[in-house]
Amino acid sequence: MNVPLWVWIATLTVTVAFLLVDVVFIARRPHRPSMGECARHLAFFISAAVLFGVGVGVFSGWNYGKEFYAGWLTEYSLSIDNLFVFIIIMAKFRVPERFQQTALMVGIIIALILRGIFIGVGAALINQFAWVFYIFGVFLIYTAIELAKEGMGQGEDEDFKENAFLAFVERRFPATQSWDHGTKLIGLENGKKLMTPMLIVILALGSTDLMFALDSIPAIFGLTREPFLVLTANIFALMGLRQLYFLIGGLLKRLVYLSLGLSVLLGFIGVKLILHALHENTLPFLNGGQGLHVPVIGIEASLIAIVAILGVTTIASLIKSRSVQRAELD
């Protein structure tokens, strides 16, 4: 896929412009967005993603268009899983509703920057070392198993546990627990500069998403090797995440089989990556450095599998939730 430099520049410029408008708007009027506001913004970003995929298909070929849709749907579904942790973080730090949008906005900006770095590193590794697909594949299968355990109630509890980075920051730098400073990152109390809860929450959101990126970036590279598609799929998945948080935050609890569905999805992509690695094998100790004759999963089959897995997961979750609600009412 030949992407001109001006297309890269235009894509990044439009993304930064949208983020700046959001930052200025939210900074002027911190508030909890209405359902109508969230629905309009979310519909816009989803429509933009669909139209972008059509544009990719028209100008670069529909195979690339399918790769974008497969990557976008995968990143979006994994981002929805992130929302569970975001809700827990907001509750743990008792973030006032009017400030939650600001925290999410800054957290998403950090996530975009970090994922951009991850994508660059991942693309460089793939171009230089084809065997990295083995590592990606094994890691995704391992992650799938862990998610399956979580979905069956055998994993760790849902309480948010501070990562090493956040724990270090809180130990090293003094902080205040008061939300009187609003959205400021540094507050002044008794003549001392202190970190505010907003800064801690933003660091928690950003560092948590970094952990999720360890799963999502290898997953999307299993669907497309085009850095431009990987980046844009991540942009469209994250841009509507803030609105999705407020729009369906309460409904997320009804997706009881989400972890199981995502485990099947990651496991599928992991197997796809390993089959691809075997087909393109360059490891000298395996078949003399020659590719093996193994079946390769095409993008059409991948896209169908992704839609089917997510569809079955959603429908089964809603049926289960409805049956539980009925049982509680009886």
Side-chain angles (χ1 to χ4, degrees):
M1 184 178 181
N2 183 25
V3 182
L5 178 61
W6 71 266
V7 174
W8 280 95
I9 295 174
T11 301
L12 295 175
T13 300
V14 171
T15 301
V16 171
F18 271 109
L19 292 173
L20 286 176
V21 170
D22 261 356
V23 168
V24 172
F25 175 75
I26 295 173
R28 287 183 176 179
R29 190 168 66 93
H31 67 290
R32 177 185 176 87
S34 65
M35 293 296 101
E37 180 183 337
C38 289
R40 288 192 298 272
H41 281 78
L42 191 59
F44 170 79
F45 286 121
I46 291 176
S47 300
V50 172
L51 291 175
F52 183 85
V54 172
V56 171
V58 170
F59 292 105
S60 299
W62 286 107
N63 194 61
Y64 288 124
K66 294 172 186 175
E67 288 182 5
F68 169 77
Y69 284 128
W72 172 55
L73 288 174
T74 299
E75 293 298 303
Y76 211 86
S77 60
L78 292 171
S79 295
I80 291 175
D81 192 41
N82 294 9
L83 291 182
F84 283 106
V85 182
F86 289 176
I87 290 172
I88 295 171
I89 291 174
M90 294 294 187
K92 175 180 174 60
F93 292 100
R94 297 182 176 87
V95 183
E97 287 190 344
R98 67 184 185 279
F99 298 147
Q100 289 183 8
Q101 194 170 194
T102 302
L104 286 169
M105 185 71 260
V106 179
I108 287 171
I109 292 174
I110 295 174
L112 282 170
I113 295 172
L114 293 175
R115 290 194 183 204
I117 296 172
F118 266 52
I119 291 167
V121 172
L125 286 174
I126 289 171
N127 288 332
Q128 294 294 323
F129 310 105
W131 49 262
V132 77
F133 279 115
Y134 287 112
I135 299 175
F136 283 179
V138 171
F139 180 72
L140 288 180
I141 292 174
Y142 168 78
T143 303
I145 294 172
E146 292 301 308
L147 268 178
K149 291 179 180 179
E150 177 184 322
M152 293 183 291
Q154 298 176 9
E156 297 180 357
D157 57 44
E158 294 184 351
D159 291 338
F160 171 72
K161 294 180 175 60
E162 295 182 351
N163 54 54
F165 168 72
L166 192 60
F168 169 78
V169 170
E170 290 186 312
R171 287 196 309 267
R172 181 66 178 79
F173 303 99
T176 176
Q177 302 298 317
S178 173
W179 281 97
D180 292 341
H181 300 285
T183 58
K184 293 181 179 179
L185 304 183
I186 302 294
L188 189 63
E189 290 187 2
N190 300 321
K192 294 183 179 180
K193 290 184 178 181
L194 303 173
M195 288 195 310
T196 65
M198 176 60 72
L199 177 55
I200 297 175
V201 169
I202 289 172
L203 292 176
L205 293 173
S207 57
T208 299
D209 187 83
L210 178 61
M211 298 299 103
F212 280 107
L214 295 176
D215 303 335
S216 65
I217 299 305
I220 193 170
F221 270 117
L223 300 168
T224 177
R225 296 182 64 176
E226 296 296 331
F228 182 73
L229 298 183
V230 174
L231 178 64
T232 50
N234 272 273
I235 289 174
F236 280 112
L238 290 174
M239 289 296 281
L241 193 60
R242 175 167 52 86
Q243 289 77 18
L244 196 63
Y245 171 89
F246 291 103
L247 188 64
I248 67 170
L251 298 178
L252 286 176
K253 296 179 180 179
R254 298 180 63 184
L255 299 177
V256 293
Y257 294 130
L258 181 61
S259 291
L260 287 175
L262 291 179
S263 71
V264 174
L265 177 59
L266 290 178
F268 168 78
I269 299 175
V271 171
K272 181 179 185 296
L273 277 170
I274 291 177
L275 289 175
H276 175 79
L278 290 171
H279 187 266
E280 303 290 334
N281 177 62
T282 58
L283 296 177
F285 57 82
L286 184 61
N287 197 36
Q290 301 297 314
L292 284 76
H293 296 289
V294 295
V296 177
I297 303 174
I299 189 59
E300 291 85 0
S302 298
L303 187 55
I304 292 172
I306 290 168
V307 173
I309 290 169
L310 296 179
V312 170
T313 298
T314 302
I315 293 172
S317 294
L318 295 178
I319 292 174
K320 175 66 175 180
S321 297
R322 184 172 298 178
S323 65
V324 171
Q325 290 179 347
R326 286 178 178 175
E328 291 176 348
L329 293 175
D330 292 341

